[in-house]
Amino acid sequence: MATKRRGAASSDEPKVDEKNAPTAPTKKSLRKAQLKKQQSQSVLFSPAIKILIAVLSSVLCIIITRPYWKADGLGAAEPAPIRKEPVVIKNKENPGQIFQVVDLPGRGKGMLAARDIMLQIYHEKAGELILKDKAIIRLPSHTEENPTEYVLNQIANLTETQLAKFMSLSYLPNLPEKHIPFSIMQTNAFAAGDSMAIFPEAARLNHACAGAFNTVYNWREGEETLYVHALRNIRAGEELLTTYIDSKKPRAERQKHLKENYHFDCDCPVCTLPEEQSKESDRRLTAMANLYVQLKAWNEQTLTGKEAIAIVNNIWKLGEEEHYVSERGQLAADAAIVATAHSDLEAASEWRALAAKWFAREIGEDTPQVFLNRKWANEPDSHPVFGRKAEEKVGGPSDIAKNSKLRASFSPATLMTSEGQSTTAATSEPHHEPLLLEAPSDNGGQQELQVGGTTVKLDRLGPLVVNSDGTLSRIANWEQMSSIKKERTYRILLKRNQIRLEDQKQKLASNGEDTT
């Protein structure tokens, strides 16, 4: 049996009719065909056609997503009725969650604790993890594309479940349908590294000011996940609240900012205090904010170490009076930097232990902040800033700082007066900027690096690097690197340091050593 040669015609293939075969094209006919093709392409890719294609794409996206607006009563001619009683919405995907999303009369949706969330602070346990959430849409902080069009294109890639969750979130009223997705983004997004992102579960957390919020969230770049932890003991049925702003401001300023940027009137327990108590609260919050500003003067060589520590203890005292217990991990870490730079090892160790304890409560025990602060609590002189400033006994945490505990829910009845006495109630962020990662040298050298819209302050030695063997080092050529390269390097280090710290913890555990 004969085999078919490559390129040879088989017997069942049609044969060419040589008599009626087309003649070879002439140069004139080829040129005419080329001109015709160029004319058709110029019409197809003209600016007018490009604009028409973009408009049709946006309209198509709106047509696809419109049923989800109707499904939740959004965009319908008749508004959905406000329910008189909260209705629990069960989460079928994860029935073991410790919260429930409910309809709150007159306030939209919110989260309620499904059971008691206890911190067990007498046993030094970390704040309980409430949820971990992945972003379904991220909007870069810098993009040349129109943000409205960008978000429309992003939601076209969502699954049906993701799209339903996205479109059920709140947005400004009386908007053209095309602008609703971007309004959802503006109203519900969290900061996530160098972008803003929608986390569908965490977006159900409503806002409270100052001492009234009971959860804190933090973005873990290495995992690309948002974590939410309990900041206080929370009873079953109590609403889970976080804060959208730096609320260390007087009530009038907070409410103005929230109204202009988030479009709601805040009625949290702090904002609804009786007038006299509200004035006392405003005084404390303003004093805390001013003290944080004063603390930065230590970087500028205008504060002694002892003066800086006195400011930290004063902030802590005001926080106790106000029930403002957030940001304490970073505050204690700042104090540890001061003590270490001035070679006060006993104070540095105490502040590091306190920083580790509060970081564990605020952002989780499995974080680099906890691991490093525990390490430096045992070996304070191993920190790179040791001895960078004149030797000085700066002092450790005050008795108030040492003995402070995470309180239960905010209660006006236990707010303190300026004289430190309890008052009687009438019958009726992730937010302070940390100090430098290490103390500046006596001749300065401070630099500022923009990372995702956030100013990160570093001295000329640059950020710490966790080596594969667990030791710490610095980047030798940091000072010579361009701003763009520094920003890129900083982001890479955030992820790599976390991975290496986890490896070190696993090695210690496998050897039977205590990782705490």
Side-chain angles (χ1 to χ4, degrees), residues 261-502:
N261 293 276
Y262 294 93
H263 312 285
F264 69 87
D265 297 309
C266 185
D267 60 354
C268 75
V270 181
C271 284
T272 53
L273 284 171
E275 191 62 29
E276 287 305 312
Q277 285 184 297
S278 182
K279 288 179 181 179
E280 283 293 320
S281 174
D282 288 353
R283 179 196 62 79
R284 284 187 292 267
L285 292 169
T286 302
M288 289 177 70
N290 290 338
L291 286 171
Y292 273 118
V293 174
Q294 293 176 31
L295 186 58
K296 294 179 184 179
W298 180 77
N299 287 327
E300 301 162 4
Q301 319 296 319
T302 58
L303 273 184
T304 67
K306 193 171 184 178
E307 289 170 337
I309 294 300
I311 288 175
V312 171
N313 279 319
N314 199 1
I315 292 173
W316 210 290
K317 177 177 179 292
L318 288 167
E320 281 291 293
E321 295 173 3
E322 182 62 25
H323 289 199
Y324 195 106
V325 297
S326 182
E327 306 161 15
R328 285 183 166 178
Q330 187 59 58
L331 182 61
D334 288 348
I337 287 287
V338 174
T340 306
H342 288 286
S343 304
D344 189 344
L345 295 182
E346 182 180 355
S349 183
E350 290 180 347
W351 283 114
R352 286 293 178 192
L354 194 61
K357 181 169 68 174
W358 281 91
F359 271 132
R361 293 170 176 177
E362 293 177 283
I363 62 175
E365 202 162 8
D366 57 339
T367 53
Q369 291 92 328
V370 175
F371 180 82
L372 286 173
N373 276 285
R374 284 174 176 165
K375 170 184 170 63
W376 286 323
N378 294 323
E379 305 169 1
D381 55 349
S382 68
H383 193 283
V385 307
F386 174 65
R388 291 280 299 277
K389 282 180 172 276
E391 188 171 336
E392 180 185 357
K393 285 293 183 181
V394 299
S398 66
D399 289 341
I400 291 176
K402 289 179 181 178
N403 300 322
S404 58
K405 294 180 173 62
L406 291 174
R407 299 176 181 269
S409 303
F410 175 88
S411 171
T414 56
L415 284 176
M416 307 297 285
T417 66
S418 56
E419 289 75 31
Q421 301 298 318
S422 296
T423 61
T424 302
T427 53
S428 36
E429 277 284 284
H431 296 91
H432 92 269
E433 183 179 350
L435 295 178
L436 299 180
L437 294 182
E438 58 177 320
S441 60
D442 290 336
N443 61 354
Q446 179 177 328
Q447 298 178 347
E448 291 187 354
L449 176 64
Q450 293 292 327
V451 181
T454 301
T455 301
V456 178
K457 292 188 175 181
L458 304 168
D459 79 352
R460 61 184 178 182
L461 293 181
L464 288 169
V465 178
V466 179
N467 300 316
S468 56
D469 61 356
T471 59
L472 301 174
S473 62
R474 312 306 292 251
I475 299 174
N477 64 332
W478 177 262
E479 195 172 0
Q480 287 75 45
M481 292 168 64
S482 66
S483 297
I484 295 176
K485 192 170 182 179
K486 284 180 179 179
E487 182 177 344
R488 187 183 305 116
T489 302
Y490 187 85
R491 290 176 185 163
I492 292 172
L493 283 177
L494 286 175
K495 295 182 179 180
R496 192 173 68 187
N497 284 352
Q498 186 172 12
I499 293 171
R500 288 181 174 177
L501 285 170
E502 287 298 324

Side-chain angles (χ1 to χ4, degrees), residues 142-307:
H142 302 289
T143 176
E144 295 181 0
E145 190 174 349
N146 180 287
T148 299
E149 298 293 339
Y150 185 93
V151 175
L152 282 172
N153 291 334
Q154 289 293 305
I155 66 174
N157 298 322
L158 297 179
T159 65
E160 186 175 352
T161 300
Q162 290 174 331
L163 183 59
K165 289 181 177 180
F166 179 82
M167 296 309 303
S168 70
L169 298 176
S170 60
Y171 58 87
L172 293 179
N174 305 318
L175 286 176
E177 291 182 346
K178 178 181 177 180
H179 295 284
I180 288 177
F182 184 62
S183 178
I184 291 174
M185 197 81 190
Q186 287 181 303
T187 307
N188 298 276
F190 289 78
D194 60 349
S195 65
M196 54 189 293
I198 291 294
F199 300 91
E201 298 284 3
R204 296 302 185 188
L205 287 166
N206 287 324
H207 166 85
C209 295
F213 61 90
N214 52 22
T215 71
V216 286
Y217 61 86
N218 74 294
W219 165 252
R220 298 190 185 181
E221 187 73 37
E223 301 176 41
E224 296 189 342
T225 302
L226 192 79
Y227 279 67
V228 179
H229 286 85
L231 186 59
R232 307 175 184 277
N233 290 333
I234 303 171
R235 298 296 181 186
E238 186 179 343
E239 185 174 7
L240 304 181
L241 300 164
T242 191
T243 186
Y244 298 169
I245 62 172
D246 178 1
S247 56
K248 296 188 293 294
K249 295 178 173 65
R251 176 168 62 181
E253 289 185 30
R254 298 195 307 268
Q255 292 190 327
K256 181 175 183 291
H257 182 79
L258 290 166
K259 185 69 173 178
E260 290 177 350
N261 293 276
Y262 294 93
H263 312 285
F264 69 87
D265 297 309
C266 185
D267 60 354
C268 75
V270 181
C271 284
T272 53
L273 284 171
E275 191 62 29
E276 287 305 312
Q277 285 184 297
S278 182
K279 288 179 181 179
E280 283 293 320
S281 174
D282 288 353
R283 179 196 62 79
R284 284 187 292 267
L285 292 169
T286 302
M288 289 177 70
N290 290 338
L291 286 171
Y292 273 118
V293 174
Q294 293 176 31
L295 186 58
K296 294 179 184 179
W298 180 77
N299 287 327
E300 301 162 4
Q301 319 296 319
T302 58
L303 273 184
T304 67
K306 193 171 184 178
E307 289 170 337

